[in-house]
């Protein structure tokens, strides 16, 4: 007699096994176009990895799309040694990123492999590369300021713990230097730096000269230079964010620095165009603008028992155009932006933070009303001078015509001195606020003496 219950249990176990262990079907390579591999006969889902046989060993490639029977793959390394008809074998398990506290002080590539020659990284936990987004209602509110050690940011553009900021700048105006100043001056527990699409020389320079031994001890650097494949540059950003998420889950406060999100978008553009996605906005396909918020939203405050990820994403404004599609899209999804001015950089003003064009959207939530009033008043005097700069420069403005313009002329050297800072100098948050109060008090005293002098002249 057949035991129906036992038979059903065996069938259920078989179904579960089949579900867990999908059958891998190998295929063959039929075409190579640019950096894209086209294979037929491969049964693998989008995002999975495959081994491609080459004359120089196996090459790892990721499935990025398909069309009919053709599967599109993007390699992690160069295509040297690839042959027509090469065997393409899907991997049953995806290569995972080892995550542990041993990452501190290490330099890894876009998929988490060590680059510093210090041996393998021991993992106490392994995560897949796709994490579920946090429920927005489960996130803690941003209520505390984060000290970044930069006076102009601490005072005029105060950053909240868990905020996502954009650093907008053209090439050669001091983005990397400003990021290095933050790594030395921040009060965050862990620093995760993603150097994506930059020059290889800058990677070593950032680690040895800007970070230094003290900063490197509590930092993790993910390096995917410009000569890496688009897939590795794309994964470089995602790996940096995933490492930051791991430390956040340990209850630590993380400062995440991504340089730059523009290179991330360009890598996604290369991949999308290679598989046939049509361009939309100035050559960027729609998938670029869907991936940007997915990356940015992974930063921020965690839930109960978790830490926070305060993120700075640098945005390379080509030709100093702040209306560039990537810059415009990033500005809309970030919690504020810091603009570095080429004009200030050319005049020797470092860091070249343009306080007129910059804003921190969470500053009212993490600062007192007194702090906000102090920053607003000085910013008004700075802006007033800039508006009348041409008249003042050519001598068309006569002193005494407008007391506030006179006061802005007197205050400008003091404000400029306040906004400038040496590369190795660290100015804590409390010190920045105290100096801001001193400048404002001096401005008020000067205004009062000027009004008294004017009143005395009228009486005479």
């Amino acid at each position: 007699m057949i035991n129906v219950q036992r038979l059903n249990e065996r069938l259920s176990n078989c179904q579960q096994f089949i579900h867990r262990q999908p059958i891998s079907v190998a295929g063959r390579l039929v075409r190579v176009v640019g950096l894209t591999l086209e294979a037929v006969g491969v049964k693998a889902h989008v995002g999975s990895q495959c081994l491609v046989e080459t004359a120089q060993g196996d090459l790892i490639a990721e499935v990025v799309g398909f069309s009919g029977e053709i599967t599109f793959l993007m390699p992690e390394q160069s295509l040297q040694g690839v042959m027509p008809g090469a065997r393409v074998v899907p991997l049953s398990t995806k290569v995972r990123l080892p995550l542990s506290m041993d990452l501190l002080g290490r330099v890894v590539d876009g998929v988490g492999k060590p680059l510093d020659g210090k041996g393998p990284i021991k993992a106490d936990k392994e995560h897949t590369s796709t994490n579920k987004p946090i429920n927005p209602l489960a996130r803690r509110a941003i209520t505390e300021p984060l000290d970044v050690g930069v006076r102009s940011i601490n005072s005029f553009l105060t950053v909240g713990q868990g905020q996502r900021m954009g650093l907008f700048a053209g090439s050669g105006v001091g983005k990397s230097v400003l990021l290095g100043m933050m790594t030395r001056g921040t009060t965050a527990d862990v620093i995760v730096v993603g150097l994506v699409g930059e020059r290889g020389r800058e990677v070593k320079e950032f680690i040895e000269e800007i970070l230094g031994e003290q900063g490197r001890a509590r930092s993790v650097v993910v390096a995917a230079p410009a000569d890496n494949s688009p897939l590795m540059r794309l994964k470089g950003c995602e790996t940096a964010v995933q490492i930051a998420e791991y430390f956040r889950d340990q209850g630590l406060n993380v400062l995440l620095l991504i340089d730059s999100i523009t290179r991330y978008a360009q890598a996604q553009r290369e991949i999308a165009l290679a598989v046939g996605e049509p361009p939309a906005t100035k050559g960027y396909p729609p998938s670029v603008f869907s991936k940007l918020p997915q990356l940015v939203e992974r930063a921020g405050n965690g839930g109960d028992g978790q830490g926070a990820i305060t993120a700075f994403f640098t945005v390379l404004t080509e030709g100093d155009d702040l209306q560039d599609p990537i810059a415009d899209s990033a500005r809309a999804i970030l919690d504020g932006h810091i603009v570095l001015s080429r004009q200030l950089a050319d005049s020797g003003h470092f860091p070249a933070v343009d306080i007129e064009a910059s804003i921190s959207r969470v500053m009212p939530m993490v600062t007192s009303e007194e702090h906000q009033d102090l920053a607003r008043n000085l910013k008004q005097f700075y802006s007033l001078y800039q508006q009348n700069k041409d008249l003042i420069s050519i001598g068309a403005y006569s002193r005494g015509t407008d007391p506030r313009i006179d006061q802005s002329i007197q205050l400008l050297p003091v404000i400029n001195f306040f906004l400038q800072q040496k590369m190795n100098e660290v100015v804590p948050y409390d010190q920045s606020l105290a100096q801001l109060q001193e400048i404002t008090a001096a401005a008020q005293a000067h205004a009062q003496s000027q009004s008294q002098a004017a009143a005395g002249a009228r009486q005479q």
Side-chain angles (χ1 to χ4, degrees), residues 7-188:
L7 181 60
N8 288 335
E9 289 178 356
R10 292 181 65 182
L11 286 173
S12 177
N13 292 336
C14 289
Q15 290 173 354
Q16 291 177 7
F17 178 79
I18 292 172
H19 179 71
R20 289 195 305 266
Q21 302 290 337
I23 299 174
S24 297
V25 179
R28 60 185 179 86
L29 201 62
V30 295
R31 191 181 183 207
V32 176
V33 181
L35 295 176
T36 309
L37 305 176
E38 297 182 8
V40 295
V42 179
K43 300 297 182 183
H45 60 83
V46 173
S48 63
Q49 293 179 321
C50 297
L51 283 180
V52 181
E53 294 180 349
T54 72
Q56 300 180 357
D58 291 337
L59 173 71
I60 296 179
E62 184 172 308
V63 178
V64 294
F66 58 87
S67 175
E69 297 297 321
I70 298 176
T71 301
F72 300 109
L73 302 103
M74 189 66 63
E76 290 185 357
Q77 295 89 23
S78 67
L79 294 177
Q80 192 170 1
V82 174
M83 303 174 295
R87 197 161 177 259
V88 180
V89 183
L91 293 175
S92 57
T93 57
K94 192 172 184 179
V95 177
R96 297 182 178 181
L97 176 66
L99 298 172
S100 71
M101 298 302 291
D102 290 342
L103 279 166
L104 292 175
R106 301 300 300 271
V107 183
V108 298
D109 66 5
V111 291
K113 296 178 182 177
L115 293 174
D116 50 13
K118 295 183 180 180
I121 299 170
K122 296 180 181 179
D124 58 5
K125 192 175 183 181
E126 290 187 346
H127 290 220
T128 58
S129 60
T130 55
N131 289 6
K132 292 183 179 180
I134 297 178
N135 186 333
L137 298 181
R139 289 184 185 267
R140 300 190 315 276
I142 300 175
T143 56
E144 299 179 11
L146 178 73
D147 187 0
V148 295
V150 181
R151 184 166 46 214
S152 57
I153 298 176
N154 282 341
S155 54
F156 287 97
L157 305 164
T158 308
V159 177
Q161 201 171 86
Q163 184 176 358
R164 288 80 56 93
M165 288 285 284
L167 188 59
F168 291 71
S171 57
V173 295
K175 295 189 305 298
S176 300
V177 173
L178 182 57
L179 293 180
M181 293 171 68
M182 293 181 190
T183 60
R184 283 188 292 269
T186 183
T187 55

